[in-house]
Amino acid sequence: MTRIFLLAAAAAVTLSACAPSPLTTTEPRLGADGQPLPRVYNISRADESRILYRMLDSVNALRSQQRLASLELNSQLRAAAATHSRDMSVQNRPWAFGSDGSSPLDRVRNAGYTGEFLGQAISESFETELQTLEAWMDEPGPREIILDPQAREMGFAWLQEPGGKIWWTLVTGAPAGSGAQIAGL
């Protein structure tokens, strides 16, 4: 009898773990304005490579539609993009210049890039990388950077804050000797 009681108790405990906690809610979280908060797109370490190459492939698909050369990833441009994503988070604002007054060109040079810096696209959002790319393509400035015929290399990076906000940075360039002209800042 004791054995049956112990088995029944163990089954009850196991099943109770499957039931929702009275503290768990399926209601959407609401912001201060009473509107639902955006669903958070959480980026894990395992997602990093997938996101990087999904963005590269998507940018190259857009460039291919315009009969433009594909871009290749460049580690120095990626380092410059990562530096700026971190710095935008620290400043809590999306803008081209660093907290130390550095320009995108300064960051690219500091990262060791010897080619020509062509442009930078930035974003502060809770959106995925593909939603961010779509938003960039809807804006003339970022669209021109992504579809610049002179561009041959790309750096792409982000920083996600604990609350889910993501600071995205995409930097384009052309290898030294390719004849590219530096874009205006």
Side-chain angles (χ1 to χ4, degrees):
M1 184 67 152
T2 304
R3 186 176 196 171
I4 292 174
F5 176 74
L6 288 174
L7 287 173
V13 168
T14 301
L15 289 174
S16 70
C18 296
S21 161
L23 299 176
T24 302
T25 178
T26 58
E27 301 287 320
R29 295 180 313 136
L30 301 179
D33 61 359
Q35 296 299 312
L37 291 172
R39 185 170 171 210
V40 177
Y41 175 58
N42 288 313
I43 301 172
S44 71
R45 283 262 192 235
D47 296 329
E48 290 181 9
S49 180
R50 188 173 23 248
I51 289 169
L52 179 62
Y53 286 99
R54 187 168 38 227
M55 179 60 93
L56 177 65
D57 291 344
S58 298
V59 165
N60 282 334
L62 292 167
R63 290 177 61 84
S64 175
Q65 291 173 355
Q66 302 296 316
R67 293 188 162 79
L68 297 170
S70 294
L71 301 182
E72 293 182 13
L73 289 175
N74 178 282
S75 60
Q76 289 92 11
L77 291 178
R78 186 156 188 241
T83 296
H84 195 55
S85 291
R86 279 190 305 276
D87 197 42
M88 286 190 298
S89 173
V90 168
Q91 295 181 74
N92 196 32
R93 65 178 174 172
W95 81 314
F97 296 93
S99 57
D100 61 356
S102 63
S103 71
L105 180 59
D106 295 331
R107 283 188 297 280
V108 165
R109 292 288 175 250
N110 290 340
Y113 187 67
T114 58
E116 298 295 328
F117 165 79
L118 295 175
Q120 172 181 272
I122 58 174
S123 178
E124 163 197 22
S125 74
F126 288 90
E127 298 175 328
T128 69
E129 68 283 356
L130 297 182
Q131 290 169 319
T132 300
L133 178 58
E134 183 179 345
W136 283 337
M137 293 303 289
D138 287 341
E139 295 294 324
R143 180 184 176 83
E144 289 172 15
I145 290 165
I146 292 164
L147 298 179
D148 185 341
Q150 298 179 70
R152 295 293 183 271
E153 298 177 316
M154 176 181 107
F156 177 66
W158 61 89
L159 180 125
Q160 184 168 36
E161 295 178 348
K165 184 189 296 184
I166 307 169
W167 300 90
W168 302 102
T169 306
L170 182 143
V171 180
T172 60
S178 66
Q181 302 285 320
I182 295 178
L185 301 176

